[in-house]
Amino acid sequence: MSDLLGRVAGAPISWGVDGSPGWGFLMDRERVLAEMVAMGLRATELGPDGYLPTDPGELAALMRRHRTRVVGGFVPALLYRPEAVDRELDYVSRAARQLASTGSTVLVLGPSSHHPGYDTQVDMSEEEWTAFLANLDRVETIARVEGLRVALHPHWGMAISSAGDVDRLLDSSTIGLCLDTGHLSLGGADPVEIARRAVDRVLHVHLKDLEPARAGRVRRGDEPFRQAVIDGLFVPLGRGGVDIAGTVAALEAGGYRGWYVLEQDCALPAEPPVGGGPAVDARDSLAYLRALAGSAGDTATAPA
């Protein structure tokens, strides 16, 4: 893991930036990027549509000013409802062009639900699975034209969320994966087992840890996902019940050399004080990875 720290990126959601209506206070992008860079994060994801500039020139200027780069972006798309898919694929096309303009090589696909938010689970019918898989091929074609690969992100409250969903997806398609340790665990899958079994499919990684008791309440339906996030469902790496070290070890042993994105989803009631707020937890997660890598001074070259 000698080059691990050269492959760690941030994500706006770790600073409470989510595109869901009413999610919480959205911190200014200049502050978020400045805090990422100050703690040593080398890159960022885009965040929700429109949070970072959609104009390629403006986005490039922002990245140069902060001396960072974009290495992916979460692109949600509803793919199992035929009446919605053309509109959704138009958005995917625009997002793919934006990501390609940054030099990114991965589009992180969120398999959207027709329900608002992330509080209602989806159980696709056989007909919906057929439509979903066919439209995955269309997404891959769009991405390929822009020089991108697609990494599908299993996610609580989306169309692919449970361990069974992930198994069927792996068996029924050749789509790449964004391995999100938190969402896989929340859905009942073992991220270490997925890393070992399907490392050749993993194109991107989101690192999350879960507070075990609260995660159990979400799984049982005793607490809605959004409320659980507000109440602290996600915790700094190493403080929860997810085997982060085991997952990273399995990925590295299997030859994964892509990005690890720190994602500790949170929702903010108001702007945090300077020097406080989400940056504190992000620094703690980065310190955990430094210890995991075995070298606090690791300055290896980041992936292209």
Side-chain angles (χ1 to χ4, degrees), residues 216-262:
R217 290 197 289 275
V218 173
R219 289 190 199 100
R220 294 190 300 271
D222 296 338
E223 184 173 9
F225 175 81
R226 181 174 180 274
Q227 187 59 49
V229 172
I230 293 170
D231 293 341
L233 172 64
F234 297 107
V235 296
L237 300 181
R239 295 189 191 172
V242 180
D243 187 357
I244 302 296
T247 303
V248 172
L251 288 166
E252 294 293 293
Y256 177 74
R257 293 298 180 267
W259 287 93
Y260 291 94
V261 181
L262 296 184

Side-chain angles (χ1 to χ4, degrees), residues 125-164:
S125 67
E126 287 301 312
E127 293 78 8
E128 287 171 335
W129 264 103
T130 298
F132 179 81
L133 293 170
N135 287 319
L136 279 186
D137 291 340
R138 296 175 68 185
V139 170
E140 287 197 284
T141 297
I142 290 168
R144 193 178 304 117
V145 168
E146 301 297 339
L148 303 171
R149 300 175 74 188
V150 179
L152 187 139
H153 184 330
H155 192 294
W156 186 265
M158 286 190 156
I160 305 295
S161 64
S162 70

Side-chain angles (χ1 to χ4, degrees), residues 101-192:
S101 76
T102 71
S104 297
T105 59
V106 175
L107 182 152
V108 179
L109 178 67
S112 288
S113 162
H114 66 283
H115 301 291
Y118 305 121
D119 289 335
T120 305
Q121 293 295 84
V122 177
D123 185 12
M124 287 191 288
S125 67
E126 287 301 312
E127 293 78 8
E128 287 171 335
W129 264 103
T130 298
F132 179 81
L133 293 170
N135 287 319
L136 279 186
D137 291 340
R138 296 175 68 185
V139 170
E140 287 197 284
T141 297
I142 290 168
R144 193 178 304 117
V145 168
E146 301 297 339
L148 303 171
R149 300 175 74 188
V150 179
L152 187 139
H153 184 330
H155 192 294
W156 186 265
M158 286 190 156
I160 305 295
S161 64
S162 70
D165 292 337
V166 175
D167 287 342
R168 182 165 181 174
L169 181 78
L170 290 173
D171 291 342
S172 303
S173 76
T174 59
I175 196 78
L177 285 182
C178 173
L179 190 157
D180 185 298
T181 55
H183 281 286
L184 285 172
S185 297
L186 196 58
D190 179 354
V192 177

Side-chain angles (χ1 to χ4, degrees), residues 46-98:
L46 283 174
D49 187 31
Y51 182 67
L52 296 185
T54 56
D55 176 78
E58 186 182 351
L59 179 58
L62 180 67
M63 295 297 103
R64 285 194 300 270
R65 187 163 70 252
H66 286 278
R67 298 183 180 181
T68 189
R69 61 184 290 194
V70 173
V71 292
F74 185 73
V75 179
L78 177 58
L79 299 178
Y80 61 87
R81 290 291 178 92
E83 69 275 10
V85 74
D86 287 343
R87 178 187 69 248
E88 299 291 289
L89 293 179
D90 284 344
Y91 165 54
V92 170
S93 296
R94 177 169 62 78
R97 290 191 296 271
Q98 181 187 18

